[in-house]
Amino acid sequence: MRQFTINRLTTNFGIFKLSGVWRDTPDFTCQIYSLEMMGTDGWIQLNAENERVQMLRNSLLPLINAHLCC
């Protein structure tokens, strides 16, 4: 697996900064270690344990895949 850092990922859900590891296989595999969202006062660390954050993370996976593979 390869490490990655995305300093600014602009999406319909907001602007994110994230890091983790990924593997470019037929079934894209990604583990996110750090996920932050741009707030009005700067970056806000999101709690990976929160169910809504997990749903958000799953929604971001195709965008992360597209960003890393291109």
Side-chain angles (χ1 to χ4, degrees), residues 9-67:
L9 181 65
T10 303
T11 72
N12 292 336
F13 310 115
I15 301 171
F16 298 92
K17 178 166 59 167
L18 54 141
S19 65
V21 294
W22 72 293
R23 183 180 354 206
D24 185 18
T25 61
D27 297 325
F28 174 73
T29 303
C30 177
Q31 295 176 330
I32 299 172
Y33 296 147
S34 174
L35 178 60
E36 298 175 63
M37 183 175 193
M38 177 62 79
T40 56
D41 293 329
W43 294 108
I44 301 167
Q45 181 73 41
L46 300 178
N47 179 359
E49 307 275 324
N50 183 291
E51 182 179 335
R52 294 181 84 189
V53 172
Q54 291 173 4
M55 290 173 29
L56 172 65
R57 185 180 61 213
N58 290 338
S59 298
L60 290 174
L61 287 177
L63 301 170
I64 295 168
N65 183 15
H67 182 87

